[in-house]
């Protein structure tokens, strides 16, 4: 085993995170010291980790073993390894943790003296370590242990502010859902292990090719639902919009930015690479799930006024977009159009990084808003752009990026997804084509609705007049928090302007894991990082777009000046129709903003409104009016509630007929069981 | 390079004329004399010279928005060649990628909607909210339309699509094209706030969409916003005339050919604006909540067009 310097650096990174966890616990009583030290260690670890995985990706040269411990217990070994696929996901994780840790130094200060910051930092570092371990797991057992560890630690972080009952409820839903998923994954792992005798998952080639066809299909479905629950695809998404508002914002950023991506990693690792052969219907299933998640995710997001719930629903949308890319890639792969498959899967993985950058950033932005105004309700905000100008710029960048608007990174990955769909259509059958074109339409629709949603988020919370005292008295957040957001915003722009940096890394990932090359279809050469992208004759270069737009704006300013001459601008109140001066309550609200969409898609939202007039003679002299608007969570009401009610009824029936509490009945059960067993041993 | 400059001059120069023609048609239908077809040029040059009143609630978004909206709309205009001749098509910005076109327009729309919310006025929010619904409902139809045209030409580049149309004798008679043509007309009417969707002539708060978003603007900022809107209208018209009614005969080489091509282009877009004027005269404005029906029709037609392309031939 020959380890190079960068591999040692990786080990050092792991030690750094451990040190962060330990210092958190050691300085349990000194909140500032615990928080600062622990986060500094995390930043150091992330920086080292980033360097080492980038070098690994550039250098290549097969999987690297970090730890291989085989204790005397049969079938039990812990293996930590990383290949290019793991390295890419680790890169995403490290970039995110670096920014989030920097942000946390300032952000956690509102916990000082109120909560046990040491424990929080310990959990934070452990959470990062557990996510790393999922990426590093070299065999099924290690993967499952890491997966469980990640779920449990994140549960603790979700319920960290446990005195609020809704947080505890959210945590319960989360832990139940995630364990249902984990159970399915475990069944799949058992099938895979028993039928092939194979345990390794990282190495050369596919490990589970020996599985019979039926078992492969079963494992696909089990893994899809199992990982899908973690990813938050509809209809297994109900934990996401509950868990995110409960967790603090830096944790939400990690959970949404990376933890749900571990499911994408799982799907790529096991389904695309592991089985050594993909069926078309697998791709179709994933594609359809992606379409549903993309459209419904953003549609539900539009109805939310709690920033973090809104962002949680956008995570569902973005997972949908990733699924569309993966599904398209799998369909193309199964039909043996490898270059198209490479572009589609690369688009999905690229979007994974992009989503980590902008969604991580948006959650940090939501945290900054909450830090400054103590509220997460958009309806209480307004006018923050004047109070928090830097945060506003960053949140605007993230909003543009997530809406896939040029020149940010969201557009590049969606462009690649569109291109792969377009390239595949002439080759597919009519049935696949219909779904593909609907996927493209869904992508366009989701993008447009996301833009509306982020106009709402940014417009209502940052523009206009403050809608509450808190918003009026907001102050800019500390520089460390701005730094964390700034890093992510800058990376959003860099990844958008120089997509080839990422695509070069992805090329290495795909060559190693699936023997796919991106570049045959993505002509234009690998070397110049800033040259444009070209897929089957379609060209795109973000730098050129940005340059042209900036040049046009730069030309317009003097041109207008020359044509119009000097003109004065006068400050005056907003037009108030000649009545009393305009106040903050006359502004458009977030509810009003999304109302047209609520009405048009009422079948989806089932909106309700009640107007209660109170007073002695409510009809003529109302004292008080209450107006409530609500939407129904269709999936909870018509899917989960039905199941829960059914289970409840079943257990009631069992209680009445089987478990009656009568000792005689129990004795007779024992008798019957003993008789049956005797009979069984006699006969067989 | 020369083509890019020509393109800029033609698009920005001709755009206000289209509004003038449409208004003239409406005036004639009402037995009025109406304003001159060049009225919008006078309006813009007057607005450019006027002082501005800026709301004291507004932030830098409000000030930047007119420039971003105008810049991104004109950048999108560079992606749509006005004439389908070799030189024009080759000099289209980035080969005229259809997706870049859509998302560059989206940048302008994003800032336009933000500007509506920036002043804290109810009208602005109302306009932004409506614009958001209309644009997002029509985005899928437009995308499927462009995808179908792209499949026929084997590329998502708008120039290649135009070249393919020119190669076909009468593309609009092609089963896929004729359906997409109707889709594009609906998109044109909705994106440019024309009558079945929005009435550009009214300032009644119950109906306005685009006008509501730019209600607070004055002076040169308003001029830029208005000009950007008319440029956007002209680009979609350019798409339609060059995709569905291309010049199929050979043009003479050299400067004469270019001049002839420009003249023919101007004639075709003017005819199209006459057509839009007639549509505006003949239809009534839909209730806002009937617009989704129109969008649904557009979507279904776009899907039909897509299927037609495979079933009935290319």
């Amino acid at each position: 085993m020959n380890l190079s310097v960068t591999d040692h650096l990786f080990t050092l990174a792991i030690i750094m995170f451990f040190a962060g966890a330990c210092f958190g616990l050691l300085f349990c009583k000194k909140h500032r010291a615990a928080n600062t030290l622990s986060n500094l260690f995390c930043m150091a670890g992330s920086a080292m980790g980033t360097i080492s995985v980038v070098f690994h990706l550039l250098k290549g040269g097969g999987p690297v073993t970090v730890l291989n411990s085989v204790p005397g217990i049969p079938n039990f070994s812990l293996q930590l390894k990383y290949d290019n696929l793991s390295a890419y996901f680790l890169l995403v994780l490290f970039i995110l943790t670096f920014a989030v840790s920097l942000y946390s130094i300032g952000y956690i200060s509102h916990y000082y003296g109120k909560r046990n910051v040491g424990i929080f930092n310990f959990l934070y570092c452990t959470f990062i370590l557990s996510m790393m371990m999922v990426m590093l797991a070299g065999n099924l057992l290690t993967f499952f242990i890491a997966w469980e560890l990640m779920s449990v630690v994140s549960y603790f972080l979700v319920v960290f502010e446990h005195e609020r009952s809704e947080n505890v409820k959210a945590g319960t839903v989360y832990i139940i859902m995630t364990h249902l998923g984990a159970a399915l994954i475990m069944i799949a792992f058992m099938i895979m292990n028993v039928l092939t005798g194979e345990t390794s998952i990282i190495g050369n080639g596919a490990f589970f090719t020996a599985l019979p066809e039926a078992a492969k299909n079963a494992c696909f479905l089990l893994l899809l639902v199992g990982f899908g629950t973690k990813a938050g695809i509809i209809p297994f998404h109900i934990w996401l919009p509950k868990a995110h508002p409960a967790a603090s914002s830096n944790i939400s950023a990690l959970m949404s930015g990376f933890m749900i991506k571990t499911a994408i990693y799982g799907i790529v690792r096991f389904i695309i690479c592991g089985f050594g052969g993909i069926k078309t219907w697998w791709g179709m299933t994933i594609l359809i799930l992606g379409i549903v998640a993309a459209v419904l995710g953003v549609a539900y997001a539009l109805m939310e006024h709690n920033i973090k719930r809104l962002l949680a629903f956008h995570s569902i949308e973005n997972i949908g977009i990733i699924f569309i890319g993966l599904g398209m890639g799998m369909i193309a792969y199964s039909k043996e159009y490898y270059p198209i498959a490479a572009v589609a899967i690369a688009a999905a993985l690229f979007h994974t990084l992009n989503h980590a950058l902008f969604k991580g950033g948006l959650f940090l932005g939501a945290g900054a808003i909450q830090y400054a105004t103590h509220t997460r309700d958009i309806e209480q905000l307004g006018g923050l752009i004047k109070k928090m100008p830097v945060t506003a710029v960053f949140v605007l960048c993230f909003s543009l990026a997530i809406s896939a608007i040029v020149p940010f990174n969201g557009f590049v990955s969606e462009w690649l997804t569109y291109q792969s769909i377009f390239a595949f259509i002439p080759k597919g059958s009519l049935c696949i084509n219909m779904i593909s074109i609907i996927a493209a339409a869904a992508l366009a629709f989701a993008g447009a609705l996301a833009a509306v949603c982020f106009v709402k988020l940014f417009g209502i919370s940052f523009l206009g007049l403050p809608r509450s005292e808190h918003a009026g008295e907001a102050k800019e957040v500390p520089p460390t928090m701005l730094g964390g957001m700034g890093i992510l915003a800058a990376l959003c722009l860099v990844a958008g302007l120089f997509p080839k940096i990422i695509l070069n890394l992805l090329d290495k990932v795909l060559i190693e894991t699936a023997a796919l090359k991106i570049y045959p279809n993505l002509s234009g050469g690998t070397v110049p990082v800033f040259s444009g992208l070209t897929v089957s004759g379609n060209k795109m270069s973000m730098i050129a777009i940005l340059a042209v737009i900036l040049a046009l704006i730069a030309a317009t300013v003097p041109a207008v000046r020359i044509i119009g001459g000097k003109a004065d601008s006068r400050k005056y109140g907003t037009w108030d129709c000649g009545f009393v001066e305009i106040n903050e309550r006359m502004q458009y609200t977030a509810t009003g903003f999304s109302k047209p969409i609520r009405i048009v898609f009422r079948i989806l939202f089932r909106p309700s409104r009640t107007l209660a007039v109170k007073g002695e003679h409510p009809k003529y002299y109302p004292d008080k009016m209450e107006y409530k608007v609500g939407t129904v969570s269709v999936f909870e009401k018509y899917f989960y509630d039905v199941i829960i009610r059914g289970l409840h009824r079943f257990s009631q029936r069992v209680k009445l007929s089987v478990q009656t509490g009568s000792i005689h009945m129990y004795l007779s059960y024992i008798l019957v069981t003993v008789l049956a067993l005797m009979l069984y041993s006699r006969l067989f | 390079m020369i083509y890019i400059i020509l393109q800029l001059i033609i698009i920005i120069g001709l755009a206000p004329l289209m509004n003038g023609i449409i208004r003239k048609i409406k005036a004639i239908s009402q037995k009025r004399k109406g304003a001159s077809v060049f009225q919008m040029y006078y309006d813009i040059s007057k607005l450019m010279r006027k002082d501005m009143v800026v709301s004291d609630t507004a932030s830098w978004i409000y000030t930047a928005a007119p420039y971003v909206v105008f810049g991104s709309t004109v950048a999108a205009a560079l992606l749509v060649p006005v004439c389908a001749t070799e030189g024009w098509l080759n000099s289209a910005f980035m080969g005229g990628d259809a997706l870049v076109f859509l998302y560059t327009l989206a940048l302008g729309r994003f800032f336009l909607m933000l500007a509506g919310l920036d002043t804290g006025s109810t009208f602005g929010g109302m306009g932004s909210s409506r614009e958001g619904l209309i644009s997002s409902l029509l985005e899928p139809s437009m995308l499927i339309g462009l995808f179908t045209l792209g499949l026929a030409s084997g590329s998502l580049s708008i120039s290649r699509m135009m070249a393919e149309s020119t190669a076909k004798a009468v593309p609009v008679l092609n089963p896929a094209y004729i359906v997409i043509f109707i889709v594009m007309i609906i998109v044109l009417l909705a994106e440019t706030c024309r009558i079945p969707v929005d009435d550009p002539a009214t300032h009644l708060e119950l109906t306005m969409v685009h006008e509501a978003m730019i209600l607070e603007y004055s002076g040169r900022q308003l001029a830029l916003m208005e000009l950007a809107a008319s440029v956007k209208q002209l680009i979609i018209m350019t798409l339609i005339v060059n995709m569905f009614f291309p010049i199929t005969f050979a043009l003479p080489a050299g400067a004469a050919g270019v001049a002839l091509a420009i003249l023919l282009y101007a004639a075709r877009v003017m005819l199209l604006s006459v057509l839009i004027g007639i549509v505006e005269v003949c239809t009534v404005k839909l209730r806002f909540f009937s617009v989704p029906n129109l969008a649904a029709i557009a979507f279904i037609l776009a899907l039909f067009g897509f299927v037609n392309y495979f079933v009935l031939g290319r």
Side-chain angles (χ1 to χ4, degrees), chain A residues 159 161-172:
Chain A
V159 297
E161 294 179 28
H162 55 82
E163 67 285 335
R164 288 205 213 147
S165 62
E166 73 259 26
N167 290 0
V168 176
K169 251 185 223 157
T172 312

Side-chain angles (χ1 to χ4, degrees), chain A residues 473-631:
Chain A
E473 290 158 4
K475 281 196 194 73
E476 186 59 282
V477 293
T480 45
M481 289 171 76
L482 293 178
M485 286 186 275
I487 291 172
L488 293 177
L491 285 174
C492 278
L493 194 59
V494 170
L497 293 179
F498 308 105
K500 288 234 163 141
I501 300 176
I502 311 295
L503 286 171
N504 279 335
L505 300 180
L506 278 173
D507 194 36
K508 303 230 160 62
V509 173
L510 288 179
I511 288 172
E512 191 184 84
T513 48
L516 294 174
K517 283 197 193 73
I518 305 178
Y519 281 102
N521 210 16
L522 197 74
S523 53
T526 54
V527 189
V529 183
F530 23 81
S531 70
L533 301 175
T534 312
V535 175
S536 47
N538 299 315
K539 281 175 277 182
M540 198 271 292
S541 159
M542 283 288 223
I543 293 197
I545 301 172
L546 181 66
V548 165
I549 294 176
L550 284 181
L552 283 170
I553 292 174
T556 313
V557 177
V560 167
R561 193 77 200 237
I562 292 164
I563 298 169
K566 199 174 171 311
D568 276 339
S569 92
R570 194 156 55 92
K571 283 263 176 196
Y572 199 72
T574 304
W575 188 58
D576 50 16
C577 306
F579 295 109
V580 284
E581 200 179 333
I582 232 163
N583 67 33
E584 69 281 354
R585 297 204 36 193
M586 295 178 193
Q587 296 179 93
Y588 231 51
T589 57
T591 317
F593 191 82
S594 52
K595 183 165 183 178
I597 290 169
R598 189 162 60 243
I599 291 181
V600 170
F601 297 104
R602 53 188 170 276
I603 193 158
L604 205 61
F605 303 124
R606 322 231 154 201
S608 61
R609 57 175 168 185
T610 46
L611 179 65
V613 185
K614 285 169 189 163
E616 212 170 321
H617 304 285
K619 203 174 169 191
Y620 303 107
Y621 305 107
D623 288 344
K624 218 171 129 189
M625 280 178 153
E626 266 181 22
Y627 180 65
K628 269 186 198 157
V629 189
T631 53

Side-chain angles (χ1 to χ4, degrees), chain B residues 42-292:
Chain B
Y42 307 144
D43 289 347
I44 286 177
S45 70
K46 183 184 73 188
L47 284 172
M48 286 279 186
R49 277 177 278 119
K50 284 219 159 200
D51 288 350
M52 286 172 286
V53 181
V54 179
S55 160
D56 41 23
T57 315
S59 65
W60 63 266
I61 300 268
Y62 177 88
T63 321
Y67 294 96
V68 176
V69 172
F70 185 73
S72 61
T73 314
V74 176
L78 290 180
L79 293 154
V80 186
V82 293
C83 304
T85 58
E86 194 82 8
W88 288 102
L89 292 180
N90 290 341
S91 65
F93 178 46
M94 279 194 288
D97 188 87
L99 298 167
V100 175
F101 171 70
L102 287 181
Y103 283 90
T104 311
L105 284 181
L107 174 66
R109 186 158 56 224
F110 196 91
F111 271 85
L112 186 61
M113 291 199 281
L114 281 185
L117 285 166
D118 200 10
T119 56
S121 145
T122 317
F123 298 115
M126 194 184 286
S128 304
S129 154
R130 291 174 177 174
E131 168 81 10
L133 178 73
I134 295 171
S135 62
S136 45
L137 285 177
L138 280 153
E139 192 90 349
S141 319
M142 187 149 176
L143 186 99
I144 297 183
L146 288 172
F147 254 58
T148 312
L149 297 177
L151 282 173
S153 64
S155 158
L156 272 178
S157 131
I158 291 174
S159 338
R160 295 262 60 76
M161 292 178 203
M162 288 184 178
E164 172 73 20
S165 291
T166 315
K168 286 191 166 67
V170 194
V172 80
L173 290 184
N174 185 297
Y177 277 63
I178 189 156
V179 186
I180 302 296
F181 170 63
I182 303 170
V183 174
M184 290 310 248
I185 290 285
I186 295 177
V187 168
L188 170 65
L189 295 173
E191 283 277 324
T192 58
C193 306
R194 290 271 147 217
I195 251 187
V197 178
D198 179 20
D199 188 353
T202 176
H203 264 161
L204 180 68
E205 60 267 29
L206 293 176
T207 63
M208 22 183 207
V209 179
H210 182 258
E211 295 302 313
M213 281 187 285
I214 59 171
L215 192 66
E216 287 295 318
Y217 278 108
S218 55
R220 58 187 51 167
Q221 294 175 332
L222 180 62
L224 279 179
M225 284 292 200
E226 297 275 14
L227 193 58
S230 67
V231 166
K232 185 171 165 189
Q233 169 178 303
L234 184 59
I235 345 176
I236 304 179
M237 285 164 81
T238 310
L239 263 182
I240 292 175
V241 295
N242 279 343
M243 298 280 191
F244 304 104
F245 307 102
I247 309 166
T248 41
F249 52 86
L251 293 164
V258 173
L260 187 60
I262 295 171
L263 275 180
L264 283 170
Y265 163 76
R268 280 178 299 153
V269 284
M270 282 181 208
L271 270 176
L272 187 60
S273 11
V274 171
L275 183 77
I276 292 169
I278 294 171
V279 169
E280 280 219 316
V281 169
C282 299
T283 47
V284 288
K285 194 190 156 301
L286 289 173
R287 252 182 84 230
F288 181 66
F289 286 108
S290 304
V291 173

